[in-house]
C-alpha cells in the first residue's frame, strides 16, 4: 500500500492508505480536521492542502496512487526525523512476561528531545512500526534549552509542572492512538524512553538542579523501570516505562541509545559518533573502548544568536551556493537555518569575503528586501561569523581532543556517524570547509538520522537491547574537556577558519 | 630605546610571544615580546616604563579592536600570552617594590560555575594594562572574595558567570560582599549578565568586553 506523510500542527503523521480514496478522506481518517463545507464536491476550494511536488490541490478531488507528502495550509512543517539507516542494529522481537500474555501487544518508543518529542508505535507481534508522530516539547514555554528548564525547577511545584507537561503530552498521544486503532490502553504493554539526562529527571519527577551546578552531577544515571500508574501514564496497569541509562549529566541516554542502535560493518573499526545541537555530544568508538564528551556549541546552528537565524521551518534558507539560496518548501526566504548558515559561511570563505581569522568588514546581503518574505533584506553580520566561529570550534575541539585521548589518528577514523536533525540536513562539504569537522574525515561522513529514537524502538522490541546499552556504558569513559590541559588553547586556535 | 618599546607594543598587539613562536606568520623568526622585554631591561629601561610604554599601549589596541569586532578570541589570547611572556621578566621588580602597578584586581568565576575562558581573558587584559591580578579560579565563594579583598586594601573585585543557573549565586555574592563592606567595588561580566541585572543586584559595573573592565578600573584609580 502507498503511504502518506502528513505535516499537521507541528506533528508528522505516517500512515498507509488504499488507492481509490480521496486525499480528503485519507487525511480525515487520521483524525485531522480539514474544512470541507461543500461536502467534497470540489466546488468550494476550502480543503486545499499542499502536496509536495504538485503544490496546492483540492484534497477532495485528488486521488493519490503513490506515496505522498502533504503539508496542511498555514501550518509550519515540523522537521523531525524518523528514518533509519543502513547501519541500524536488527533485533527479533523478544518480549517480557506481560508482552507474552497480551493478545495484541503494542509497544511505544519515545525520544524526548529538548525541543521535540517523537513517538514510535510498534506492533510487538511483528516488531514493525505502526506509526510515528513527532510533536514539539510542550516544556519549551518554560525555556528553550536544558539550563533554563533546570532554572525553572527552583521549587517542587515547578518541577511537577514540567513533569506534568511531559506526562500529559504522552497521554494525549496514547489516547489518540488507541482511539484511532480502536484499541484500549490495556494493549500498551511496554514504553521505552530515550532522552537527555535532564529530560529523564523531569519525566521521573526528580530534581535536576545539580546537573547545572558544579560538579554537574546527575541524581541518577542508571536505567529505571517505573510502573506506568506511578507516573500517571495511561497504559496497561502492569506496563513499565523503561528509562534508558545515561553516561553523565551531559552525555545522556539519547547518546547511549544511539550508540547501541548502530552496528558498524567489519570495514569500520574506529569511528566517530556525533550529534550536533545546542550541546554537541560525541563519542569515539574503538574496538576496545568508547571515549565520549559533551561540548557547549551554543544555539547558533539552531538559529539563536544569529541576526536572521531561525529554526528549520518553511522559508528558512537551508542551502546556499553560487546558484543562490534554497529555502525549505521553496517559500520566499524569511531567515537562515543551521544548514544554510554552514553553506553561507563556506561560500564566503571560498570567495575570500570572510578571511581566515573570521573578519567580515560589513554585513553581507544574502537576499534583497524585494525578494524576502517580510520586506526586509536578509544579511549575515560580522557578529554572526563570530558566533559560528565559537560554535564550530567547540565541536571540532571536542573531536580533536577525543580522538587524541582514544589514541587514534584522525585519518584512522573509518567513519563519522552524524546523528540528529541538523546532521541530516547539513552539507558535509560545507561542514569541513568551515572546520566544523576536521578535513581528514572528508568522504567518510554517514548521516544516520534520529538514532536516539531508533534505540528507544529497539529497547521496546527486544528485552535483549538492554545488554547492548549496558555494554556501551561499560565500555565508555567520559573525557572532561574543560579540564584538559590543551583545551583552552585548542578552543581558541580552532576558531580560525 | 623608544623604538624597542614600540616594537614591544607591536608584539603584544599582534601576539608575537617569542622568536620560535610561529604566530603571526608574517613575523616568523623575529624577536617576540619575551626577547624584547629582556633587551629593554638589559638596556636599563625601568620596569615601570616597559609596562606603561610597551605592554599597555599594545594591550589597549587589542582591547579596542576586540570591542570593535576586528579581532577575535584567538588573537586576544595570543596577545595575552605575549604580554605574559614579557611580564615574567618584570615580576621581580614589582615584587621588590622597585616598580609599581596601578592597583589590585581580584577575579573569579562564581560558586557553582566552572567556565573560565572569559574570566581568563579579562584577567590577562587587566594585567596587561598595569594592574596586579589575583585570580581565585573557578567555583569561588563570597568568603574567598572578601578575605582576599581584606588582605589587599584598595582592591577591586570582578565576578564572572556563564550559566544562567549561577547568576543567582552572583547576586548572593554581591550582597554578601556589600553587606560586609559597602565600600568594596564589584564589577560583573559573563554571557548571561547585562546592565539591568547589574543594577538589580547592586553591583558597581557591568562590561560586555574586557576593555570595559580596564576602563572601569582606570576611572576608579584616577
Amino acid at each position: 500500500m502507498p503511504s502518506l506523510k502528513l505535516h499537521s500542527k507541528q506533528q508528522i503523521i505516517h500512515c498507509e492508505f488504499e488507492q481509490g480514496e480521496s486525499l480528503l478522506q485519507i487525511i480525515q481518517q487520521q483524525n485531522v480536521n480539514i474544512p470541507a463545507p461543500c461536502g467534497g464536491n470540489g466546488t468550494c476550494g476550502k480543503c486545499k492542502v499542499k502536496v509536495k511536488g504538485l503544490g496546492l490541490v483540492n484534497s477532495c478531488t485528488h486521488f493519490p496512487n503513490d506515496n505522498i507528502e502533504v503539508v496542511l495550509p498555514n501550518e509550519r512543517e515540523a522537521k523531525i526525523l524518523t528514518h533509519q539507516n543502513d547501519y541500524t542494529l536488527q533485533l527479533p522481537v523478544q518480549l517480557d512476561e506481560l508482552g507474552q500474555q497480551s493478545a495484541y501487544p503494542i509497544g511505544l518508543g519515545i525520544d524526548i528531545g529538548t525541543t521535540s518529542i517523537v513517538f514510535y508505535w510498534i506492533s510487538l507481534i511483528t516488531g514493525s512500526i505502526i506509526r510515528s508522530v513527532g510533536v514539539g516539547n510542550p516544556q519549551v514555554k518554560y525555556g528553550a534549552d536544558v539550563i533554563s528548564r533546570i532554572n525553572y525547577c527552583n521549587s517542587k511545584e515547578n518541577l511537577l509542572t514540567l513533569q506534568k507537561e511531559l506526562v500529559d503530552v504522552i497521554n494525549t498521544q496514547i489516547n489518540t492512538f488507541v482511539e484511532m486503532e480502536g484499541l484500549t490502553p490495556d494493549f500498551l504493554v511496554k514504553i521505552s524512553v530515550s532522552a537527555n539526562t535532564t529530560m529523564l529527571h523531569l519525566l521521573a519527577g526528580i530534581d535536576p538542579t545539580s546537573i547545572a551546578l558544579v560538579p554537574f552531577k546527575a541524581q541518577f544515571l542508571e536505567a529505571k523501570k517505573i510502573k506506568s500508574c506511578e507516573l500517571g501514564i495511561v497504559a496497561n496497569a502492569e506496563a513499565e516505562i523503561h528509562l534508558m541509562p545515561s553516561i553523565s549529566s551531559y552525555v545522556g541516554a539519547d547518546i547511549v541509545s544511539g550508540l547501541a542502535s548502530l552496528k558498524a560493518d567489519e570495514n569500520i573499526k574506529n569511528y566517530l559518533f556525533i550529534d550536533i545541537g545546542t550541546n554537541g555530544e560525541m563519542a569515539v568508538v574503538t574496538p576496545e573502548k568508547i571515549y565520549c564528551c559533551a561540548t557547549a556549541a551554543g544555539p547558533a546552528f539552531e538559529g539563536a544568536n544569529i541576526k536572521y537565524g531561525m529554526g528549520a521551518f518553511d522559508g528558512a534558507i537551508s542551502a546556499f551556493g553560487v546558484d543562490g539560496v534554497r529555502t525549505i518548501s521553496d517559500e520566499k526566504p524569511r531567515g537562515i537555518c543551521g544548514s544554510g548558515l554552514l553553506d553561507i559561511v563556506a561560500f564566503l570563505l571560498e570567495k575570500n569575503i570572510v578571511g581566515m581569522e573570521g573578519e567580515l568588514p560589513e554585513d553581507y546581503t544574502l537576499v534583497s528586501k524585494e525578494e524576502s518574505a517580510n520586506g526586509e533584506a536578509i544579511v549575515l553580520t560580522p557578529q554572526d561569523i563570530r558566533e559560528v566561529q565559537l560554535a564550530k570550534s567547540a565541536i571540532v575541539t571536542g573531536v580533536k581532543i577525543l580522538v587524541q585521548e582514544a589514541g587514534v589518528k584522525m585519518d584512522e577514523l573509518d567513519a563519522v556517524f552524524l546523528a540528529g536533525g541538523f546532521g541530516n540536513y547539513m552539507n558535509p562539504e560545507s561542514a569541513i570547509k568551515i572546520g566544523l569537522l576536521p578535513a581528514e574525515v572528508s568522504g567518510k561522513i554517514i548521516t544516520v538520522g534520529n538514532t536516539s529514537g531508533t534505540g528507544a524502538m529497539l529497547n521496546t522490541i527486544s528485552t535483549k537491547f538492554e545488554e547492548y546499552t549496558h555494554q556501551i556504558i561499560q565500555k565508555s569513559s567520559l573525557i572532561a574537556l574543560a579540564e584538559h590541559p590543551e583545551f583552552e588553547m585548542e578552543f581558541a586556535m580552532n576558531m580560525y577558519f | 630605546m623608544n623604538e624597542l618599546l614600540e616594537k614591544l607594543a607591536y608584539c603584544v598587539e599582534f601576539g608575537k610571544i617569542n622568536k620560535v613562536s610561529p604566530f603571526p606568520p608574517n613575523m616568523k623568526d623575529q624577536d617576540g615580546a619575551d626577547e624584547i622585554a629582556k633587551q629593554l631591561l638589559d638596556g636599563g629601561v625601568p620596569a615601570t616604563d616597559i609596562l606603561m610604554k610597551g605592554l599597555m599601549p599594545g594591550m589597549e589596541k587589542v582591547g579596542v579592536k576586540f570591542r570593535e569586532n576586528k579581532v577575535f578570541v584567538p588573537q586576544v589570547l595570543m596577545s595575552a600570552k605575549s604580554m605574559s611572556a614579557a611580564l615574567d621578566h618584570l615580576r621581580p621588580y614589582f615584587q621588590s617594590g622597585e616598580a609599581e602597578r596601578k592597583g589590585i584586581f581580584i577575579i573569579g568565576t562564581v560558586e557553582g560555575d566552572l567556565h573560565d575562558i572569559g574570566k581568563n581573558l579579562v584577567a590577562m587584559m587587566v594585567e596587561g594594562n598595569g594592574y596586579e591580578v589575583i585570580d581565585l579560579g573557578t567555583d569561588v565563594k563570597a568568603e574567598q572574595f572578601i578575605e582576599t579583598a581584606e588582605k589587599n586594601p584598595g582592591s577591586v573585585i570582578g565576578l564572572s558567570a556563564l550559566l544562567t543557573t549561577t547568576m543567582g549565586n552572583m547576586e548572593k555574592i554581591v550582597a554578601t560582599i556589600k553587606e560586609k563592606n559597602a565600600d568594596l567595588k564589584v564589577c560583573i561580566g559573563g554571557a548571561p549578565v547585562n546592565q539591568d541585572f547589574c543594577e538589580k543586584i547592586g553591583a558597581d559595573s557591568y562590561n560586555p568586553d574586557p576593555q570595559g573592565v580596564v576602563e572601569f578600573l582606570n576611572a576608579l584609580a584616577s
Side-chain angles (χ1 to χ4, degrees), chain A residues 147 214 383 386 488 493 496, chain B residues 23 69 75 78 112 120 164:
Chain A
I147 298 290
V214 173
Q383 186 56 35
R386 299 307 189 196
E488 185 172 282
M493 289 306 148
Y496 286 127
Chain B
F23 188 88
N69 219 342
Q75 289 100 325
M78 293 316 279
N120 293 346
T164 41

Side-chain angles (χ1 to χ4, degrees), chain A residues 311-326:
Chain A
F313 298 120
D314 287 355
I317 297 174
S318 59
F320 186 87
V322 278
D323 311 327
V325 303
R326 205 166 67 230

Side-chain angles (χ1 to χ4, degrees), chain A residues 28-305:
Chain A
Q28 282 174 339
Q29 281 160 18
Q30 298 304 313
N31 273 355
V32 173
N33 256 328
I34 293 186
C38 74
N41 284 328
T43 50
C44 71
K46 292 280 191 289
C47 67
K48 277 196 170 54
V49 296
K50 194 195 282 171
V51 176
K52 279 273 164 86
L54 284 179
L56 286 175
V57 300
N58 285 340
S59 62
C60 66
T61 53
H62 186 72
F63 296 85
N65 291 319
D66 210 347
N67 292 348
I68 184 170
E69 188 171 348
V70 173
V71 182
L72 295 189
N74 302 322
E75 284 184 356
R76 283 177 160 186
E77 194 168 346
K79 294 270 172 195
I80 294 159
L81 302 164
T82 49
H83 114 124
Q84 288 165 276
N85 60 77
D86 297 344
Y87 295 90
T88 302
L89 174 73
Q90 304 291 335
L91 288 179
V93 177
Q94 194 170 340
L95 301 179
D96 54 18
E97 216 174 300
L98 179 65
Q100 287 165 12
Q101 287 164 0
S102 172
Y104 185 60
I106 299 286
L108 172 60
I110 312 178
D111 168 38
I112 306 181
T114 311
T115 40
S116 49
I117 306 179
V118 192
F119 295 83
Y120 300 90
W121 291 98
I122 298 157
S123 157
L124 292 181
I125 295 171
T126 60
S128 59
I129 306 177
I130 303 170
R131 179 177 290 116
S132 60
V133 180
V135 301
N137 186 326
Q139 295 176 339
V140 165
K141 51 184 175 283
Y142 303 99
D145 53 34
V146 160
I147 298 290
S148 47
R149 301 280 165 86
I150 295 175
N151 247 348
Y152 183 78
C153 292
N154 54 8
S155 68
K156 183 80 191 161
E157 200 188 330
N158 287 356
L159 170 62
L160 291 177
T161 305
L162 291 188
Q163 182 188 28
K164 190 166 181 299
E165 290 282 357
L166 290 180
V167 170
D168 285 353
V169 74
I170 293 170
N171 282 339
T172 304
Q173 288 300 323
I174 294 174
N175 288 328
T176 309
F177 178 82
V178 294
E179 199 174 303
M180 225 187 284
E181 297 289 314
L183 299 168
T184 65
D186 253 2
F187 292 99
L188 178 55
V189 293
K190 186 175 182 184
I191 300 176
S192 301
V193 178
S194 170
N196 62 50
T197 314
T198 303
M199 288 302 133
L200 291 173
H201 278 60
L202 294 178
L203 179 60
I206 295 171
D207 184 2
T209 305
S210 63
I211 291 176
L213 290 173
V214 173
F216 308 113
K217 272 227 171 335
Q219 296 301 310
F220 74 98
L221 295 170
E222 70 283 2
K224 268 187 195 293
K225 291 173 190 170
I226 307 174
K227 281 266 156 60
S228 61
C229 51
E230 277 178 51
L231 282 185
I233 285 176
V234 190
N236 186 302
E238 294 300 311
E240 283 178 325
I241 322 275
H242 294 237
L243 304 187
M244 298 174 70
S246 305
I247 293 172
S248 76
S249 285
Y250 292 98
V251 182
D254 45 354
I255 300 304
V256 174
S257 162
L259 282 167
S261 80
L262 290 169
K263 190 177 181 299
D265 60 33
E266 61 274 17
N267 298 322
I268 300 177
K269 282 201 179 61
N270 301 308
Y271 62 90
L272 171 70
F273 171 87
I274 182 165
D275 185 345
I276 303 173
T278 302
N279 275 325
E281 294 111 349
M282 56 191 87
V284 169
V285 183
T286 70
E288 298 80 30
K289 286 201 77 176
I290 298 172
Y291 302 82
C292 50
C293 71
T295 170
F301 296 130
E302 311 201 336
N305 294 354

